[in-house]
Amino acid sequence: MFELDRITPGSLPTFLRRWYGPPDRGAADVDPAIVMPDLLRDWYRLTSQWSVPLSRHNHFSAPEDLRRRGDLLVFWDENQGAASWATKITGSDPLVYENEVDEEDDGWECTGFTLSEFLVYVAASEAVYGDPNLVVNFDMDETQYESVVSRFLMLRHPIWSHPHPGWHYMAADNLLAQGGNRPPTGGGPERYWIMVSANDPKALTRLPQGLFD
């Protein structure tokens, strides 16, 4: 899974094949009349090759449901409506913008990440949060946390600390995780949290016993 930290045009399909297995159907066509960046069109064609939904936690818009907001195109929404992500309508690899309040034209802030980077992030995020094998612990001390993360490779590209500098994505064989300090459910800087997903449930047996019961 470590190719996630080497974000290239080929890293996304490589990750999807390793995580979900080989595609089980042909690529769907995307209506050429719908204006969008080529990278977004490639995403739809690529992800349509798996019958399992690849965006099960947050909501990735269908091509016909993409929303225009000024010169931006909204493509991904947080599952409770707390945030949306958009990109420029044109450009070979446009930047991605985030809106955590509403969708007014002047409410968007640049993430600093290009669309090619952000789509790899979306795939990894959905692999963690949308995984039926997901295990979580939102209240650990530092020693407990280190006993888990020592089994992972920390992903070092800046995008893997989005949206919080104290949170990180990490990978191991057949495992993906996100965690860090200051749990999103509350707790001070001395408390830690982690969410671990697996494309093979047997891989979860390598985690420390007693922390995810």
Side-chain angles (χ1 to χ4, degrees):
M1 303 305 167
F2 300 157
E3 73 278 352
L4 283 171
D5 216 28
R6 301 190 294 272
I7 297 176
T8 69
S11 62
L12 181 55
T14 299
F15 166 69
L16 293 178
R17 285 177 172 84
R18 289 189 177 182
W19 192 256
Y20 295 102
D24 59 355
R25 61 186 185 185
D29 291 329
V30 180
D31 186 349
I34 301 175
V35 178
M36 68 180 77
D38 287 343
L39 282 168
L40 202 53
R41 193 176 303 277
D42 291 344
W43 162 275
Y44 287 117
R45 288 185 51 80
L46 175 64
T47 59
S48 69
Q49 296 176 66
W50 282 267
S51 55
V52 59
L54 303 192
S55 186
R56 291 176 285 184
H57 178 68
N58 293 333
H59 307 300
F60 207 100
S61 297
E64 61 273 16
D65 295 329
L66 293 168
R67 308 188 302 279
R68 295 279 294 266
R69 295 294 182 267
D71 62 348
L72 297 176
L73 197 63
V74 183
F75 62 88
W76 199 42
D77 296 292
E78 197 271 336
N79 66 86
Q80 297 183 32
S84 297
W85 292 268
T87 190
K88 297 285 187 178
I89 295 172
T90 59
S92 60
D93 195 5
L95 290 166
V96 170
Y97 296 78
E98 182 176 44
N99 192 325
E100 295 184 352
V101 181
D102 53 44
E103 289 192 17
E104 296 298 328
D105 290 351
D106 60 355
W108 296 90
E109 296 185 1
C110 184
T111 64
F113 303 118
T114 64
L115 183 58
S116 62
E117 293 171 324
F118 200 81
L119 290 175
V120 178
Y121 171 85
V122 169
S125 174
E126 291 296 333
V128 173
Y129 284 79
D131 182 15
N133 300 312
L134 181 70
V135 296
V136 303
N137 189 326
F138 282 117
D139 188 20
M140 294 186 290
D141 61 32
E142 185 175 6
T143 298
Q144 291 171 324
Y145 179 71
E146 289 299 330
S147 74
V148 180
V149 301
S150 63
R151 300 157 195 260
F152 288 81
L153 175 69
M154 200 73 67
L155 300 179
R156 297 297 184 184
H157 188 285
I159 201 170
W160 300 120
S161 291
H162 179 78
H164 190 292
W167 299 356
H168 308 279
Y169 277 84
M170 57 203 87
D173 288 342
N174 303 112
L175 296 172
L176 276 172
Q178 186 191 27
N181 63 351
R182 294 184 181 270
T185 55
E190 73 284 354
R191 304 308 292 177
Y192 293 79
W193 66 283
I194 196 165
M195 306 175 69
V196 184
S197 67
N199 66 349
D200 179 357
K202 294 179 182 177
L204 295 171
T205 63
R206 304 200 307 268
L207 298 175
Q209 298 299 305
L211 289 179
F212 299 99
D213 295 339

